[in-house]
């Protein structure tokens, strides 16, 4: 299962630099006070600007596509590219760079992706600086969810910039043969396909023996894009959206004075990103509950996915409160359990309840800032206070521990930290900074959701699948 999670999330990165620091002993008011001179919008803009710089600078000098992380030699991941394409929309709108320059960079990226070797229009997990498949990543596989994240970003960029960007984005979108990457007996998309030989990428291969058979935002993305494809031969029926498990549960806090969460549909891993990624582009608050009965599936519960992620966010916060005595990292300002760079390589992170039953639920004192940061779409008050707290963490010399805006990689919040050991992963990942950047923009303006949902094929798919308010 660990290998499976790695294949979904990207290369298990070796931190660019693992350091151990001694956090200063300060009370929460002193820590929060370090950003008191900034109002919330100015503070969030500072975080967004820093995050965007990763997508501008950690890019291929030839095609502009985005690096997976800071590791050398560089590999470029399709998921990072998807988040990066949407990040360009934020940059153009906010004036982080000249709008024409951003549009040209985006056009270059999208054009290069129309030339990338694919299988049935579906993208390999890792690319090189020329936007071609590389065997330098930890795997050489077609990833359906990484393809999906790239497509979500491409559609957003195409709708925003129009012109050639729209033309190239449509080409990339329309070529994806979701039907060929689906187990039609179970009505579920396969997670990955891998060639038998790295020397023959277009030769014989096989699907990984795992499907998107459990709730996750990845399942939502794959089924939505599958139905939205304008090529009927490549598209998936709308009812496939309702053929993965929707198991429900609650989190019951042990700390006196706190209530249990409402029941929510939980994911297999329990990591917060599985409740976040689809919401980057889809305004489920506006859509309301989905409608399985529209497809004569009366046994499938109708779910408001916005409320579902709100409840999962509350569960994550309560898990941290319950474990605040066990770790200095955790508490009302230390939460957001999700996949991140770890002292042991890579940690998926999790909350309860979750579908994974084969591995014990354990916490190791680590936290990823983007985990809570991306929850700004669901609980902005808790999120902003938490990000201010992370920003305010310093050592006895007054040097920031978790925040960095200096040196060659001034991209804001580091990927993970642990206040018990002093461990800080001075690493940045596109699939971590990207969701936080885009979620913050949705909180500030709704720009990414509004832009993506303008697409005519997405609108048609949402109607086909069935939502309460569309």
């Amino acid at each position: 299962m660990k290998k499976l999670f790695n294949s979904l999330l990207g290369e298990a990165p070796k931190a660019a630099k693992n350091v151990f620091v001694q956090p200063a002993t300060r009370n929460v008011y002193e820590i929060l006070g370090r950003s008191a001179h900034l109002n919330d919008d100015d503070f969030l803009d500072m975080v967004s600007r820093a995050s965007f710089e990763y997508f501008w600078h950690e890019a291929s000098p030839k095609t502009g596509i985005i690096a997976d992380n800071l590791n050398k030699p560089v590999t470029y991941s399709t998921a990072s590219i998807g988040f990066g394409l949407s990040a360009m929309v934020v940059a153009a709108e906010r004036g982080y760079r000249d709008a024409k320059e951003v549009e040209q960079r985006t056009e270059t990226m999208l054009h290069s992706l129309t030339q990338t070797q694919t299988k049935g229009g579906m993208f390999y997990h890792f690319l090189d600086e020329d936007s071609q498949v590389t065997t330098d990543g930890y795997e050489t596989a077609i990833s359906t969810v990484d393809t999906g994240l790239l497509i979500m970003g491409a559609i957003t960029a195409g709708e925003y910039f129009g012109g050639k960007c729209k033309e190239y984005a449509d080409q990339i979108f329309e070529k994806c043969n979701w039907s060929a990457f689906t187990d039609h007996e179970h009505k579920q998309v396969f997670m990955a396909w891998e060639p038998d030989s790295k020397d023959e990428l277009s030769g014989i291969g096989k699907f990984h023996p795992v499907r998107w058979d459990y709730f996750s935002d990845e399942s939502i993305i794959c089924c939505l894009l599958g139905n939205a494809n304008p090529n009927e031969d490549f598209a998936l029926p709308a009812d496939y959206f309702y053929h993965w498990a929707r198991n429900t549960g609650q989190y019951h806090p042990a700390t006196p004075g706190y209530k249990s969460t409402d029941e929510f549909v939980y994911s297999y891993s329990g990591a917060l990103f599985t409740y976040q990624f689809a919401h980057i582009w889809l305004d489920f608050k506006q859509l309301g509950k989905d409608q399985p009965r529209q497809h004569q599936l009366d046994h499938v519960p109708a779910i408001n996915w916005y409320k579902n992620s709100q409840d999962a966010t509350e569960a994550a916060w309560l898990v941290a409160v319950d474990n605040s005595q066990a770790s200095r990292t955790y508490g009302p300002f230390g939460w957001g359990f999700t996949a991140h760079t770890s002292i042991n390589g890579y940690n998926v992170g999790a909350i309860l309840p979750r579908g994974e039953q084969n591995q014990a639920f354990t916490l190791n004192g680590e936290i990823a800032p983007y985990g809570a940061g991306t929850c700004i779409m669901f609980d902005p008050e808790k999120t902003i206070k938490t990000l201010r707290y992370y920003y305010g963490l310093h050592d006895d010399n007054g040097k920031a521990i978790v925040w960095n805006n200096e040196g060659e990689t001034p991209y804001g919040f580091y990927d993970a930290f642990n206040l018990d050991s002093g461990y800080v992963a001075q690493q940045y990942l596109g699939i971590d900074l990207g969701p936080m950047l885009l979620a913050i923009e949705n909180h500030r303006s709704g720009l990414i959701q509004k832009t993506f949902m303008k697409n005519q094929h997405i609108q048609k798919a949402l109607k086909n699948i069935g939502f309460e308010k569309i």
Side-chain angles (χ1 to χ4, degrees):
M1 190 55 66
K2 183 177 180 181
K3 181 180 178 182
L4 167 60
F5 285 139
N6 285 346
S7 73
L8 306 183
L9 300 169
E11 181 179 2
K14 297 177 181 177
K17 185 179 180 183
N18 282 342
V19 300
F20 290 86
V21 299
Q22 182 59 49
T25 302
R26 298 288 186 270
N27 66 46
V28 67
Y29 300 104
E30 291 177 288
I31 295 171
L32 291 173
R34 285 188 171 268
S35 61
H37 62 289
L38 298 170
N39 64 35
D40 284 348
D41 196 62
D42 288 342
F43 176 78
L44 292 174
D45 191 69
M46 177 184 68
V47 175
S48 293
R49 283 176 178 269
S51 299
F52 170 72
E53 293 302 312
Y54 175 91
F55 295 96
W56 193 257
H57 292 291
E58 303 302 323
S60 165
K62 295 182 178 180
T63 63
I65 62 171
I66 314 301
D68 188 52
N69 53 56
L70 297 182
N71 290 355
K72 308 296 181 188
V74 180
T75 55
Y76 302 84
S77 74
T78 47
S80 276
I81 296 166
F83 287 117
L85 286 165
S86 292
M88 297 299 153
V89 172
V90 177
E93 185 73 11
R94 293 280 173 187
Y96 294 167
R97 288 289 189 285
D98 176 76
K100 287 295 183 183
E101 185 181 8
V102 176
E103 181 177 353
Q104 183 59 57
R105 170 80 68 97
T106 306
E107 182 181 321
T108 300
M109 292 169 65
L110 288 167
H111 178 258
S112 75
L113 294 167
T114 65
Q115 308 302 307
T116 301
Q117 180 180 354
T118 64
K119 183 177 178 64
M122 307 294 277
F123 283 81
Y124 281 86
H125 197 155
F126 296 108
L127 306 178
D128 64 18
E129 64 179 6
D130 295 309
S131 297
Q132 295 305 318
V133 183
T134 180
T135 58
D136 289 340
Y138 77 90
E139 68 170 3
T140 306
I142 300 279
S143 168
T144 52
V145 70
D146 288 275
T147 295
L149 292 167
L150 186 152
I151 299 303
M152 302 291 268
I155 289 172
T156 306
E159 292 299 318
Y160 183 84
F161 292 110
K164 284 290 185 180
C165 289
K166 170 72 169 168
E167 179 184 330
Y168 295 142
D170 286 348
Q171 289 178 29
I172 295 165
F173 178 31
E174 293 169 7
K175 289 195 300 184
C176 292
N177 189 345
W178 289 95
S179 182
F181 283 76
T182 297
D183 178 340
H184 292 281
E185 178 182 354
H186 294 94
K187 301 184 177 182
Q188 295 164 352
V189 176
F190 286 109
M191 290 188 179
W193 178 91
E194 192 160 9
D196 290 342
S197 171
K198 291 184 178 182
D199 296 326
E200 298 182 36
L201 296 177
S202 59
I204 298 172
K206 54 184 174 295
F207 289 108
H208 290 185
V210 282
R211 306 180 302 272
W212 292 110
D213 60 357
Y214 216 95
F215 158 70
S216 170
D217 269 28
E218 291 100 325
S219 301
I220 290 175
I221 287 170
C222 290
C223 291
L224 171 74
L225 292 176
N227 182 255
N229 194 297
N231 186 328
E232 291 185 3
D233 292 333
F234 296 169
L236 300 180
D239 71 290
Y240 282 28
F241 190 87
Y242 299 101
H243 285 274
W244 24 264
R246 298 183 175 206
N247 297 328
T248 60
Q250 297 171 274
Y251 183 75
H252 302 287
T255 305
Y258 293 101
K259 298 188 301 182
S260 298
T261 65
D262 291 339
E263 284 212 354
F264 62 95
V265 179
Y266 54 81
S267 69
Y268 186 84
S269 73
L272 270 176
F273 80 89
T274 62
Y275 300 94
Q276 296 169 337
F277 279 10
H279 297 257
I280 297 296
W281 294 279
L282 292 162
D283 186 356
F284 287 104
K285 187 176 184 180
Q286 173 190 322
L287 293 171
K289 289 184 177 180
D290 59 15
Q291 300 291 293
R293 289 190 177 184
Q294 181 175 308
H295 302 279
Q296 292 74 52
L297 297 169
D298 294 355
H299 64 288
V300 178
I303 303 298
N304 181 319
W305 294 108
Y306 176 77
K307 175 64 165 58
N308 200 74
S309 290
Q310 275 191 316
D311 292 333
T313 298
E314 180 69 8
W317 187 80
L318 289 169
V319 168
V321 170
D322 276 352
N323 286 275
S324 60
Q325 298 302 311
S327 171
R328 185 179 172 186
T329 314
Y330 302 143
F333 302 110
W335 56 283
F337 303 96
T338 196
H340 61 273
T341 308
S342 170
I343 194 169
N344 296 317
Y346 207 53
N347 188 312
V348 174
I351 61 169
L352 294 174
R354 63 177 184 160
E356 168 63 88
Q357 301 295 321
N358 296 322
Q359 294 182 358
F361 178 77
T362 57
L363 298 172
N364 66 354
E366 295 175 355
I367 210 76
Y370 87 96
T374 308
C375 286
I376 195 169
M377 300 180 289
F378 315 120
D379 195 330
E381 183 177 355
K382 283 191 181 77
T383 293
I384 294 170
K385 286 180 179 178
T386 299
L387 291 180
R388 285 182 179 273
Y389 181 82
Y390 295 160
Y391 175 84
L393 291 169
H394 283 63
D395 63 19
D396 281 324
N397 296 318
K399 181 176 176 58
I401 293 172
V402 182
W403 174 265
N404 175 55
N405 60 356
E406 300 175 345
E408 295 182 356
T409 57
Y411 307 140
F413 289 116
Y414 286 127
D415 201 51
F417 67 97
N418 182 334
L419 294 182
D420 300 323
S421 66
Y423 164 73
V424 180
Q426 294 186 350
Q427 170 70 287
Y428 293 103
L429 282 74
I431 60 172
D432 294 354
L433 289 175
M436 181 170 63
L437 164 63
L438 303 177
I440 287 173
E441 187 58 42
N442 282 329
H443 168 73
R444 297 176 76 192
S445 71
L447 174 66
I448 300 303
Q449 293 170 337
K450 291 174 184 175
T451 303
F452 175 80
M453 290 177 64
K454 286 194 307 184
N455 182 273
Q456 62 175 328
H457 303 299
I458 297 301
Q459 281 292 314
K460 182 179 179 181
L462 291 171
K463 290 176 183 177
N464 291 343
I465 290 166
F467 284 90
E468 192 175 26
K469 298 179 183 178
I470 195 168

